Amino acid sequence: RSSTPSHPSASQFHPPHRPNPKMQGYGKDLPDALLPYKNKLTPRFFEIREKVLEFVQNVVNPALPTYAAQAKELLKTVDHPTKCPEPPILNDLRAQAKARGIMNLFLPEVSKLSVLEYSPIGEILGMNPVANLAMNCTAPDTGNMEVLERFGSEEQKKQWLEPLLNGEIRSAFAMTEPGVASSDATNISTRIERDGDEYVINGHKWWISGAIRPECKVFILMGKTSFSGPAHQQQSMILVPRDAPGVNILRPLAVFGEEHDHAEIIFENVRIPASNMLLGEGKGFEIAQGRLGPGRIHHCMRSIGQAELALAAIVDRVHRRKAFGK
């Protein structure tokens, strides 16, 4: 699931607390936690990290008031916050990130960074979710782009990977189901059945992050093409356009009482071209392992960045707080 806000919330109406350059993960000096790995960091890492810090400090941070104002106005045009489109200034920020060569840094094929080297970049992006969006490094798109890069056909890459890499569309990953422990994908019951040149999909998914936002155009869905044979060769992944007939988004689900862009979805007789199958039938687990490994690191580092920002805000408050005349 995404650790980046997927739609405008109340916190986005006001510029968020900005990281202090004195914070280790945000400063120009190498953070202490990276010193043991210094001999594994390439000159490319230091070059990219400097570009990212410059972009965040000089481009993104000054744009945060405009981002918040645009989000607030756009929210008035929809009946639910999850349906709110992205603020237009985000396209300008993406263009500037692209000009600096710092979009899609999560992909080693693009960034030429190792997972170790990308990790502290992810930490910086966790401190600034708008920069994360501008640099196109947000989940679940990152994992979906990795899947398409590694396992997609040329046709699939042309149709879906290219617009995702350009930040023109967003995506979702449809795996979790109600009633079963979906962390064990052998429990998944969504059916993907071959019918001539098509597959027919029937199933019930929920907690599908990013599925409601208007920019979302495609799902990578995990289901079963077989209900017999080896347990880890029954699952497959297939590309499902969000506007395909039979895709019914029921509702957004709530976290701590606030509804977010985590959708409950019914797939009812959804017909998809057979060419939308990723890698082949029974390859779902193989694809999942390639997707989840780096994704866990990305999530952890963004969460660490968010935690550092929260701690910095608390420390700042302690120094400025006045009570009882003191």
Side-chain angles (χ1 to χ4, degrees):
R1 290 176 175 79
S2 174
S3 57
T4 300
S6 56
H7 61 83
S9 63
S11 62
Q12 290 176 292
F13 295 162
H14 305 284
H17 184 88
R18 298 180 184 182
N20 189 317
K22 293 181 180 179
M23 294 167 58
Q24 281 221 339
Y26 203 72
K28 291 189 176 182
D29 294 333
L30 197 66
D32 290 346
L34 281 177
L35 292 178
Y37 308 98
K38 189 173 181 179
N39 62 342
K40 297 183 179 181
L41 302 174
T42 63
R44 171 74 173 167
F45 163 74
F46 291 97
E47 174 194 351
I48 290 296
R49 186 171 183 273
E50 185 176 350
K51 285 184 177 181
V52 170
L53 288 172
E54 183 275 331
F55 176 67
V56 172
Q57 293 169 351
N58 297 334
V59 179
V60 176
N61 282 348
L64 291 179
T66 301
Y67 181 95
Q70 290 181 350
K72 186 174 181 178
E73 290 303 310
L74 286 168
L75 192 61
K76 299 175 183 177
T77 68
V78 294
D79 60 6
H80 196 277
T82 56
K83 300 177 183 178
C84 191
E86 295 175 338
I89 195 173
L90 196 51
N91 291 326
D92 298 333
L93 296 176
R94 285 187 178 121
Q96 295 196 53
K98 188 173 184 178
R100 287 167 167 78
I102 55 173
M103 279 188 75
N104 303 308
L105 293 180
F106 66 93
L107 266 183
E109 295 84 357
V110 172
S111 66
K112 311 303 180 187
L113 299 174
S114 67
V115 174
L116 170 65
E117 291 175 319
Y118 177 70
S119 296
I121 304 297
E123 182 182 6
I124 294 169
L125 298 183
M127 299 177 195
N128 195 314
V130 177
N132 198 29
L133 283 165
M135 292 168 55
N136 211 35
C137 291
T138 55
D141 302 302
T142 49
N144 290 342
M145 285 186 273
E146 287 172 332
V147 165
L148 286 164
E149 172 64 30
R150 297 177 186 179
F151 305 109
S153 67
E154 290 306 311
E155 179 185 354
Q156 291 166 351
K157 290 179 180 180
K158 181 71 176 177
Q159 184 175 4
W160 301 114
L161 179 58
E162 288 186 14
L164 281 168
L165 286 171
N166 290 329
E168 297 167 2
I169 64 172
R170 302 289 305 273
S171 63
F173 185 68
M175 174 175 165
T176 305
E177 297 181 2
V180 298
S182 301
S183 56
D184 177 2
T186 61
N187 292 324
I188 285 173
S189 61
T190 293
R191 307 181 75 93
I192 307 173
E193 298 174 296
R194 186 70 181 252
D195 182 18
D197 293 333
E198 297 178 314
Y199 284 99
V200 182
I201 302 170
N202 284 283
H204 187 180
K205 301 288 187 180
W206 71 348
W207 297 105
I208 308 308
S209 299
I212 303 175
R213 69 184 123 214
E215 295 80 16
C216 179
K217 303 302 180 185
V218 65
F219 305 144
I220 294 181
L221 177 140
M222 190 165 184
K224 284 188 175 181
T225 44
S226 172
F227 284 78
S228 61
H232 294 87
Q233 295 178 19
Q234 299 176 16
Q235 298 76 19
S236 303
M237 290 194 190
I238 192 167
L239 293 159
V240 181
R242 193 183 74 160
D243 61 0
V247 176
N248 301 306
I249 297 178
L250 300 183
R251 58 173 177 145
L253 298 171
V255 180
F256 296 123
E258 182 178 352
E259 291 179 337
H260 290 264
D261 190 359
H262 308 303
E264 182 175 4
I265 308 173
I266 296 291
F267 295 85
E268 184 176 3
N269 294 322
V270 179
R271 288 188 168 271
I272 299 299
S275 59
N276 282 26
M277 180 64 66
L278 284 161
L279 195 59
E281 291 187 12
K283 301 292 186 180
F285 262 89
E286 180 182 342
I287 296 171
Q289 290 309 305
R291 183 187 194 279
L292 294 175
R296 290 189 178 103
I297 300 297
H298 300 170
H299 274 310
C300 288
M301 295 310 297
R302 284 195 298 269
S303 296
I304 289 172
Q306 289 177 334
E308 285 194 64
L309 185 59
L311 180 60
I314 292 169
V315 171
D316 179 69
R317 170 68 172 156
V318 167
H319 286 295
R320 292 190 298 107
R321 180 177 183 268
K322 294 190 181 299
F324 306 106
K326 298 179 182 180

